[in-house]
Amino acid sequence: MSQKPLVLTLGDPAGIGPEITAKAWAALRHQPDLAFGLIGPIALIKGVFSDMDLPAPVAVSDYSDIPKTFADTLPVINLGDSPLVIAGKPDSALAPIITGSIAAAVTACLSGEAAGLITNPIAKEVLYKAGFSHPGHTEYLGELTKGAPHSGPRGPVMMLSGGGLRVALATVHLPLKDAASTLSMETIISTATVMHHALIRDFGVKNPRIALTGLNPHAGEGGALGREELEIINPAANALRSVGINATDAKPADTLFHAEAREGYDAVLAMYHDQGLIPVKTLDFHGGVNITLGLPIVRTSPDHGTAFGIAGQNIARADSVIAAIKSARNIANNRAKSNVG
Ligand SMILES: NC(=O)c1ccc[n+]([C@@H]2O[C@H](COP(=O)([O-])OP(=O)(O)OC[C@H]3O[C@@H](n4cnc5c(N)ncnc54)[C@H](O)[C@@H]3O)[C@@H](O)[C@H]2O)c1
Ligand SMILES: N[C@H](C(=O)O)[C@H](O)COP(=O)(O)O
């Protein structure tokens, strides 16, 4: 399978990224197939390793050095100097190194030097204050990769995996009041099409079954509680089925996520952010993974954020970032197989 290393972005260094990076490295150092390098100022990560009595990270100049170094210490693609970072104290002055780390990781994946990237959490508000114009990583990665060749329908599509669920979103980071007015047949069709192809290529699902949620309570109750199901979602489902994509008509979201339902589908397409992410994070907060579908590169992320309130206390759990690293390797391997096949 792909022997190229994975790369981990810095995220907001005032958050829990540095400590979960150290904990993930300590947990995975003897698993060479999960070797990863951090992209960021090495000065920002050394203190955490010292506090945890871990070997000091080392700067490497080439991505090919990551696998050779990983068992002994964390390899770092050094981005040079950084402004002062105080754990738990976000600072928009850090925005250039935060976004610079992401851009460098994308470049490494596009060049083939890295098999995939995992993003440490960012705090959107902090980046917005610095002029970051994208809603989050997902859209930024879409922009950074839009010119690169990609076999299959292009995203980006956000999908959270965890608790036995895979849930993608038809609308993402916009005010809830706008979610209904933004919802369209075109958005549902394009998102479900990306999901279908990704389930096959990235997850090895032979005949994907995608359940669509309704927008309204009880999926609109036949139109009595809203008409988006009758006028948008179900016509989109019909169009999807007409081209061979197995998508259901709108189903009531409050009963779609229970165990029996979960067994009936390979993924769910939810109509708005919290409708889809609450079940995943409720069932498996520390095992959940955020996966971006429809990109020419592999990208995963922990399902949590910067947790500024606990940053620097060494109590953050690395489970989710470890799950994200494993997921990135699995997807990279599946893509390598499908490219060969
Ligand atoms: N992947 C990402 O980049 C990502 C994901 C979600 C939220 N965010 C951003 O993070 C910021 C904070 O968001 P939030 O407070 O809603 O969510 P959060 O995930 O940062 O925190 C939610 C709660 O979970 C706890 N928590 C989070 N991660 C933990 C871990 N690894 N171990 C132990 N406890 C953990 C926090 O202490 C807090 O109590 C926001 O700016 C948001 O946009 C980023
Ligand atoms: N909606 C995501 C979540 O709750 O996990 C989170 O905001 C990350 O989004 P990006 O990966 O686009 O930054």
Side-chain angles (χ1 to χ4, degrees):
M1 295 311 160
S2 167
Q3 292 310 310
K4 297 294 184 183
L6 300 168
V7 287
L8 179 62
T9 66
L10 181 69
D12 192 320
I16 59 174
E19 62 192 271
I20 62 174
T21 298
K23 290 176 179 177
W25 173 79
L28 302 178
R29 62 189 291 188
H30 298 306
Q31 297 185 51
D33 61 318
L34 299 176
F36 65 87
L38 178 74
I39 302 181
I42 195 168
L44 291 184
I45 197 77
K46 283 189 167 180
V48 164
F49 276 70
S50 170
D51 293 346
M52 293 183 190
D53 295 324
L54 294 172
V58 293
V60 295
S61 55
D62 195 286
Y63 291 93
S64 61
D65 293 331
I66 291 171
K68 306 168 192 169
T69 312
F70 189 68
D72 298 324
T73 187
L74 176 71
V76 178
I77 302 288
N78 190 11
L79 288 189
D81 296 335
S82 159
L84 175 68
V85 173
I86 301 172
K89 303 288 184 196
D91 181 354
S92 293
L94 296 167
I97 56 165
I98 294 169
T99 56
S101 175
I102 298 165
V106 169
T107 300
C109 291
L110 289 176
S111 70
E113 292 170 289
L117 74 93
I118 303 93
T119 54
N120 262 315
I122 60 173
K124 299 170 183 56
E125 183 183 352
V126 173
L127 296 187
Y128 296 162
K129 284 178 182 168
F132 187 70
S133 61
H134 305 278
H137 281 108
T138 302
E139 298 80 5
Y140 183 39
L141 293 166
E143 178 67 24
L144 292 175
T145 60
K146 68 182 179 183
H150 176 55
S151 60
R154 192 177 288 265
V157 167
M158 181 180 296
M159 186 176 82
L160 270 287
S161 173
L165 292 171
R166 296 187 190 101
V167 184
L169 303 176
T171 66
V172 189
H173 289 132
L174 76 171
L176 181 60
K177 65 178 176 54
D178 298 336
S181 58
T182 302
L183 202 59
S184 68
M185 276 186 66
E186 293 72 22
T187 301
I188 293 168
I189 290 167
S190 62
T191 305
T193 302
V194 169
M195 290 172 73
H196 175 82
H197 287 266
L199 285 165
I200 294 168
R201 184 184 183 204
D202 295 342
F203 299 91
V205 177
K206 293 197 183 318
N207 300 296
R209 301 160 299 166
I210 300 171
L212 304 186
T213 65
L215 176 72
N216 300 297
H218 305 300
E221 199 73 36
L225 297 179
R227 298 190 59 79
E228 284 83 0
E229 290 78 9
L230 298 178
E231 296 173 0
I232 298 173
I233 302 171
N234 294 350
N238 195 42
L240 287 161
R241 292 190 292 265
S242 72
V243 295
I245 293 177
N246 184 346
T248 70
D249 280 354
K251 291 184 166 297
D254 66 330
T255 54
L256 182 56
F257 295 102
H258 68 73
E260 292 74 25
R262 295 208 296 269
E263 288 158 11
Y265 308 108
D266 301 298
V268 173
L269 176 53
M271 298 300 128
Y272 60 92
H273 185 278
D274 286 1
Q275 184 188 59
L277 300 197
I278 288 173
V280 174
K281 296 190 183 184
T282 300
L283 286 169
D284 194 7
F285 182 67
H286 290 294
V289 176
N290 175 1
I291 303 160
T292 306
L293 311 181
L295 295 181
I297 63 172
V298 174
R299 181 263 174 155
T300 65
S301 164
D303 69 349
H304 58 73
T306 48
F308 290 126
I310 63 168
Q313 301 174 34
N314 192 16
I315 59 175
R317 289 176 56 172
D319 312 61
S320 184
V321 72
I322 289 170
I325 292 164
K326 292 177 177 177
S327 175
R329 176 53 70 193
N330 288 338
I331 293 168
N333 288 346
N334 285 334
R335 286 199 179 187
K337 274 190 287 190
S338 66
N339 290 342
V340 169

